[in-house]
Amino acid sequence: MPSTHDTDRPANPATEPTTGPATHPAATDPATYPAAEDPATDPAATAPATHPAASAPATRPAATAPATDPAATDPATDTFVAHRDLLFTVAYEMLGSAADAEDVLQETWLRWTGVDLAQVRDQRAYLVRITTRQALNRLRTVRRRREAYVGQWLPEPLLTTPDVAEDVELTESVSMAMMLVLETLTPTERAVFVLREVFEVGYDEIAAAVDKTPAAVRQIAHRARKHVDARRPRTTVSAREARAVVDSFRRALETRDPQDFLDLLAPDIVLVSDGGGIKRAALRPVVGADKVTRFYLGGSLKANVTVTTEPTVVNGAPALAVRIDGELDGVMAVRVENGLISGLYYVRNPEKLTHVVAETSLTLR
């Protein structure tokens, strides 16, 4: 039986950060093409209900993923575009990077164009399988590259569509807090956890995607679930409650009254800021209400600049877009527990702010 263990579990990113996206592997490199993706010998099994179909182009591009076009008639393109949001969500939850997720979709598309669709029983499951394998390849490379990242590493924030906030399970799975917990899993554990716990994929299908036996996958899933449960946010709050706390925090940032800060922050709050070596940020997590208050009032916002904040929705949850002298400086995601802010995640790295301009669609179906 194959081993149920992957490579050594990575360190907690809140204490030992890692680097940004990996280079794009050659799309035609046979070493990166999943051998088991031959539909004649390994057709996809079962999977959850299909996502509503979307529009697509009439022709299949040779090297780029398809754009939408109402005149589409090509079955492969139609299927890919219909499930594109799902595939992106799978890749993003495995990688924590929208840029890497887009690259994985490109690789998935290139492989999908070479598949004989007549041999595939479940096209949705088959696409998820290809995406998972490509994301696993990239995740293993990214983990090594993140070791050289300057300061703390945070997931790339996404400006999400309103429907994401209405899906409690989806919002929790893509929250900054949960994405950081997923960073502490090995690549295979993360893939198994995401597919099983988030997307409810069957063990047999997961086994085919990660090249393990179903029995091994069950053990990995149990281990990953136990690991995540011990570290995930302790409580969940409604979007309304979270929005009220974020609005109060926004006013505190504007008034700069220390007591206003302290009234909103949990005693054991953790602030993680990500500048990527490009923008100023704390190299280590800032822990405790007093220290976080001093960080903002005596450090990061002390310069002679005009700081403004705007409410936004990032990864399905209320957040703040921070502007300095009118220019976007970063995005601040907030974790709320028991009416207080227990986590602040401030992404300043400009290379990670490209997906907070336009909305991104995510889905579990």
Side-chain angles (χ1 to χ4, degrees):
M1 177 182 296
S3 170
T4 62
H5 293 278
D6 198 13
T7 55
D8 291 340
R9 177 172 283 116
N12 188 328
T15 57
E16 292 187 28
T18 50
T19 93
T23 56
H24 192 296
T28 57
D29 182 1
T32 63
Y33 194 102
E37 285 169 18
D38 181 359
T41 59
D42 188 22
T46 58
T50 58
H51 186 282
S55 56
T59 58
R60 189 187 308 174
T64 58
T68 56
D69 184 338
T73 56
D74 179 63
T77 302
D78 289 347
T79 301
F80 185 89
V81 174
H83 300 306
R84 189 189 185 284
D85 290 349
L86 169 67
L87 302 179
F88 178 86
T89 307
V90 170
Y92 176 74
E93 293 208 23
M94 286 185 60
L95 295 162
S97 164
D100 283 323
E102 292 286 1
D103 283 347
V104 164
L105 258 63
Q106 174 71 19
E107 294 156 359
T108 300
W109 166 250
L110 290 172
R111 284 153 178 77
W112 181 241
T113 59
V115 170
D116 181 0
L117 300 187
Q119 300 295 321
V120 180
R121 281 194 295 117
D122 188 330
Q123 295 180 3
R124 177 188 184 278
Y126 197 88
L127 280 166
V128 169
R129 181 185 303 182
I130 300 174
T131 300
T132 300
R133 290 182 174 177
Q134 297 311 308
L136 265 175
N137 288 342
R138 183 160 291 252
L139 183 57
R140 291 178 178 123
T141 303
V142 165
R143 278 189 56 195
R144 294 191 294 269
R145 290 177 173 270
R146 285 178 186 169
E147 293 174 0
Y149 197 79
V150 178
Q152 301 295 297
W153 183 93
L154 286 172
E156 186 175 349
L158 303 177
L159 180 65
T160 45
T161 52
D163 60 302
V164 174
E166 297 171 1
D167 190 326
V168 176
E169 292 183 5
L170 177 58
T171 298
E172 181 188 9
S173 71
V174 297
S175 69
M176 283 287 183
M178 178 57 78
M179 297 288 279
L180 283 176
V181 172
L182 295 181
E183 284 291 314
T184 65
L185 297 172
T186 68
T188 302
E189 285 175 340
R190 185 167 184 169
V192 170
F193 181 88
V194 167
L195 292 179
R196 181 60 187 170
E197 299 299 319
V198 179
F199 296 95
E200 300 181 343
V201 176
Y203 288 113
D204 289 346
E205 181 57 33
I206 297 173
V210 300
D211 282 333
K212 302 285 185 182
T213 66
V217 167
R218 288 178 183 274
Q219 293 179 34
I220 294 170
H222 174 76
R223 187 169 65 243
R225 190 183 308 115
K226 183 177 179 181
H227 181 84
V228 170
D229 286 346
R231 292 162 178 80
R232 71 196 315 163
R234 296 181 292 272
T235 60
T236 58
V237 298
S238 67
R240 177 180 297 181
E241 181 181 354
R243 192 176 302 110
V245 173
V246 171
D247 287 344
S248 297
F249 184 65
R250 180 189 180 196
R251 289 192 292 272
L253 286 171
E254 294 174 350
T255 62
R256 302 185 64 180
D257 185 324
Q259 192 57 50
D260 289 345
F261 272 86
L262 293 173
D263 289 344
L264 290 169
L265 306 183
D268 57 349
I269 182 176
V270 177
L271 162 69
V272 183
S273 54
D274 177 349
I278 301 172
K279 291 283 193 73
R280 180 183 176 186
L283 294 178
R284 298 180 183 277
V286 181
V287 181
D290 289 337
K291 290 183 179 179
V292 170
T293 298
R294 288 198 300 270
F295 177 82
Y296 277 114
L297 300 186
S300 65
L301 301 182
K302 190 175 180 180
N304 186 25
V305 295
T306 300
V307 179
T308 57
T309 58
E310 301 169 358
T312 187
V313 177
V314 168
N315 291 42
L320 294 174
V322 181
R323 296 185 179 276
I324 294 182
D325 293 334
E327 297 294 328
L328 180 65
D329 178 72
V331 170
M332 190 179 301
V334 180
R335 184 174 83 228
V336 177
E337 295 179 279
N338 300 318
L340 297 174
I341 299 174
S342 59
L344 287 169
Y345 311 98
Y346 191 14
V347 180
R348 299 191 70 198
N349 183 349
E351 295 177 354
K352 293 185 176 183
L353 298 177
T354 58
H355 282 74
V356 296
V357 178
E359 291 180 338
T360 299
S361 295
L362 301 173
T363 184
L364 298 181
R365 293 166 291 278

